[in-house]
Amino acid sequence: MVGRAVSPVFVGRERELADLAEAFEQARKDAAVTVLLGGEAGVGKSRLIGCFAERATADGAHVLNGGCVELSTEGLAYAPFTAAIRQLVRECGAEEVAALLPEGGARDLARLLPEFGEPSGDTESDTARARLFEQILTLLERLADRHPVILLIEDVHWADSSSRDLIAFLSRNLRTAPVLMVLTYRSDELHRQHPLRPVLAELGRLDGVLRMDLPRLTRSEVAAQMAGILGTAPEFAKVDKVFQRSEGIPLFVEALMECGGECTFPDSLHDLIIGSVEQLPEETQRVLRIAAAGGIRVSHALLVAVSALSDVELDDALRTAIAANVLQVADGRAYVFRHALIREAVHDELLPGEHARLHARFAEEIGKDRTLVPPGRAAIEIAHHWHSARDDLWALVSAWEAAGKAAKTFAHREMMQLLERVLTLWSKVPGAAERIGVDHTTVLEQAAEAASACGEVDRGSKFVKAALHELDERTEPARVANLVVRRSQFKKAKRRPGVLDDLRYAERLVPEPGLERAGVLSKLGSYLIFSGELEEGTAHTEEALRIAREHGEETLEAELLLNLALGHSIAGRIDVTIELNETAQAIGERVESGRSVLRAIANNVDALNNMGRSAEAIELALEGERLARKYGRYRDQGTFIANNRAEALEALSRFDEAAQLVEQTLGMDPTLRTRHHLRRIRGDVAVARGETDVLRSVLDEVGAFGTVPEEFMQELTTNARLMIGLHMLSGEPLAALEVAERVALEAQLTSKPMLGWRTLGLLGGICETVEALAPGRVTALRAHVGKAAAAMTVDSPVAEAYRLGLTRDHDAAATAWERLGRPFPQAKSLLHGGRMAADAGDRGDAAARLRAAYPIAVALSARPLAVEVEALARRIGISLTERAGGGEPPLTPRELEVLRLVAQGRSNREVAAELFISAKTVSVHVSNILGKLGVSTRGEAAAAAHRLALIG
């Protein structure tokens, strides 16, 4: 008789249990932790985490279970998370779960579970998937506010692509919440091309991620396991034999013990596992083979339907399987194979004809009654079974339906894989188009769209090429235009030539003023604006805007207004930019387009920073980030708003805060373009602080060292700015000059203050620095810079400050930067002014400027700037820390006079009139006073003067 060969005693694993307990304690006290638990099949991963979960539950943890099934790789998207949320709904109810989410958030979860009602109407695949991720993150965080949460996900080697992406997202973003994620996987199944391998490698580099490998049992542990099964100490010889044959894998120990005292030891592991099954009654074995075709878990009702047995007959057939611990009874009147290896061994025993018949039966019965499987799984289950049954017709039809279901949950990779199956089967199924209601080209178009959404650029390009081959632009021009636009986006993603050619070709295909043309013009206009071709890009965008308004497409209207605002921003017309953004935001709020609202806010954060209103920009960004979380769009649009906030912090020389925000936002897994923007901001901080290694890594990541030039002006000029900084930090001023010359000749500079004017300011600074090394080249560069500046407008205080620096009115520039609250460029202007004074032989004026610049550089940890100031001070023979001695005030008599009037609230012009000196000289004195007193504003100087009794 077959017995239950499972030890009631949990053997060994104390060290691993202690490690898991320690990880849980770390998650409770400090921050979220992810544990990657690897081990061979049958080594005891499930038993280990089950024991740990029992202890943790007793200790107050809320344990959620989610397992991946082998079917997941065929498109069962988010399988482990759906299971975990379904458990939560059973425990708390859908209403209570929905109450944990932001307003409307439950509608995103409705894509996974029907208990949450109708899914949201948002079909923007680029943001809706990100929002789904945000909702699950928020759910775990708010659950953890009540009790520490443990999320157990088993068998992630079977996880679908969407689940792998979500696991990586949660591992990066569950920062301070008391959440422990434990992921188990079969380490012996991870071949070199396994899709889990890069995910594990990525996770292994994150803070808060621990890797554990579960070893085989030792001989003494095998003996203890055998004793637990037998109820008495086993014979030494048998222990030795079992240990050698099982090689310390607990499942195999159990299988060997099930053989009984007289059995011989099997020759293979398959025979070892199947041996215990073959001891069961024949009818039980037959039903187990049916159950194995259904998967590792199958409901009682489904098994009744497929086996054609009555409830009583099925109970009788399975009773011995349950007693032998081959099957276990699960929640929801279902049966689960005790281990996936047992299910695999039984399924492998199916004869070819039996295999096809059983899978066809499962497909038929689920098709008749979809409630036989958990909600949301019917379509992919049917597709899996018809595919396994090798029924080409129904495999094609069901794969098409399952692809549609995958699209609704934004499981783009799974959708693409299912559509590839449809395409593969197409030629084998006569009348395939009539069967699914679309032609072959439509399948290719949808496959290309799915490939685009999941980043499979090369495969997407192949789908587009095949679809274009099937179409005639004379009869279906709009369809061809849409594909050509898609091709252009793939080229752009791969940084291949021909993007603009494709967009122009697509525009010619749709000459009539309809929505198809508006869609193409939107892409073409945006591309041209980003490329610096403002006039043409604006014209195309305005035409698209007229069409959108004629058709009442307000969402498109808002997006086009935002594109127009971008053009005005690049041109330096910031007031118009802000007005258009506010109009688009109002439309977005009216039509409930979170995308448009957040994009408008992001653009106005940038506009305010360019106006010099950086503190306002930061406040607006914080509000935008709050809304992004509310809308569930933080990962996509919220990170871009955070990027713009980091830019404002960097502009204000708040370098520590900017660098910290960059690192924090990078952890939210932003889009590649936003990531590169963030890294460039970190590069600007690195330039200021002399962090050469950081700067080099930034330039390497964004591709600045490559041979393919950037297409967009912002990326091109920013990369050049950082490259100049690298050369200067590396002691290569002539190399920096060469980059500056190339930018002056090739870049299409516009009047945007923090882009065009900042670039010109940098080029002017290079001229100041390297003039002695290459005077002729510097003269030529100054001519180019002057010509560019003459063509640009000055519509903001920031642009004016850069213009003053270009005209070498460095004192006025320093005053302008001080007024804007930007101490780093203020100190740079003081240095340039000091250099000019030194070259003119005015040692006193040079000293005043350098002494004002030096404490600013030191306070900002801007070591390269401090070194430049120190070098110039040594050259002209002055002390940067010189002060009056004998207890006298640290300021000169003239500076005391200036300070007295500043403390009264006088302007530089008023001070100059009072003391009969120039406003420029007053500016120098004020900068000197600020440096000596170690303050950064006039108000702080007045306060320090009273505190130190420097004025009466």
Side-chain angles (χ1 to χ4, degrees), residues 608-619 648 651-652 820 822:
L608 289 170
N609 188 44
N610 275 274
M611 289 282 284
R613 295 156 60 185
S614 301
E616 292 178 59
I618 290 169
E619 291 303 313
L652 291 173
L820 289 165
R822 301 187 178 188

Side-chain angles (χ1 to χ4, degrees), residues 460-484:
S461 298
K462 292 177 181 177
F463 294 138
V464 168
K465 182 178 180 180
L468 287 172
H469 183 71
E470 296 179 1
L471 294 175
D472 186 341
E473 66 180 60
R474 293 168 297 182
T475 57
E476 297 182 278
R479 204 171 175 184
V480 172
N482 183 57
L483 283 166
V484 172

Side-chain angles (χ1 to χ4, degrees), residues 511-557:
E512 298 301 318
L515 289 176
E516 293 89 355
R517 179 170 177 79
V520 174
L521 290 175
S522 174
K523 294 289 187 184
L524 175 58
S526 175
Y527 185 88
L528 288 167
I529 288 171
F530 271 113
S531 301
E533 300 290 345
L534 299 184
E535 185 175 348
E536 184 184 359
T538 298
H540 287 311
T541 305
E542 288 175 340
E543 181 186 348
L545 182 61
R546 288 193 296 271
I547 296 171
R549 285 172 171 166
E550 288 170 3
H551 287 77
E553 288 290 334
E554 287 192 292
T555 301
L556 179 58
E557 178 186 355

Side-chain angles (χ1 to χ4, degrees), residues 345-559:
V346 174
H347 189 262
D348 288 345
E349 290 291 299
L350 294 175
L351 298 173
E354 187 181 24
H355 181 281
R357 286 194 303 274
L358 286 177
H359 280 288
R361 290 284 298 131
F362 272 102
E364 290 166 351
E365 293 301 331
I366 297 170
K368 292 176 187 175
D369 182 0
R370 298 194 171 212
T371 64
L372 292 173
V373 294
R377 287 182 55 166
I380 186 59
E381 292 267 6
I382 293 169
H384 163 72
H385 287 301
W386 280 125
H387 184 61
S388 298
R390 300 293 186 266
D391 187 310
D392 293 339
L393 168 60
W394 290 109
L396 180 143
V397 172
S398 58
W400 172 253
E401 181 194 357
K405 296 291 185 182
K408 292 180 180 179
T409 59
F410 306 108
H412 307 298
R413 191 177 303 275
E414 292 78 6
M415 176 186 178
M416 180 188 70
Q417 292 167 342
L418 287 162
L419 291 175
E420 285 181 315
R421 182 183 298 173
V422 173
L423 293 168
T424 300
L425 293 170
W426 194 273
S427 62
K428 301 178 181 180
V429 178
E434 289 73 21
R435 290 288 186 175
I436 63 173
V438 299
D439 60 14
H440 188 261
T441 309
T442 299
V443 181
L444 286 168
E445 289 169 327
Q446 293 197 17
E449 183 178 354
S452 174
C454 67
E456 287 285 352
V457 175
D458 290 335
R459 289 160 87 174
S461 298
K462 292 177 181 177
F463 294 138
V464 168
K465 182 178 180 180
L468 287 172
H469 183 71
E470 296 179 1
L471 294 175
D472 186 341
E473 66 180 60
R474 293 168 297 182
T475 57
E476 297 182 278
R479 204 171 175 184
V480 172
N482 183 57
L483 283 166
V484 172
V485 169
R486 176 81 64 194
R487 184 174 67 188
S488 76
Q489 303 311 295
F490 286 139
K491 287 180 178 178
K492 186 169 76 172
K494 297 290 283 187
R495 301 181 70 184
R496 289 173 179 161
V499 177
L500 187 56
D501 290 340
D502 274 349
L503 291 172
R504 292 194 188 283
Y505 171 37
E507 184 266 334
R508 291 194 298 272
L509 288 170
V510 283
E512 298 301 318
L515 289 176
E516 293 89 355
R517 179 170 177 79
V520 174
L521 290 175
S522 174
K523 294 289 187 184
L524 175 58
S526 175
Y527 185 88
L528 288 167
I529 288 171
F530 271 113
S531 301
E533 300 290 345
L534 299 184
E535 185 175 348
E536 184 184 359
T538 298
H540 287 311
T541 305
E542 288 175 340
E543 181 186 348
L545 182 61
R546 288 193 296 271
I547 296 171
R549 285 172 171 166
E550 288 170 3
H551 287 77
E553 288 290 334
E554 287 192 292
T555 301
L556 179 58
E557 178 186 355
E559 291 297 303

Side-chain angles (χ1 to χ4, degrees), residues 31 275 715 825:
E715 284 81 353

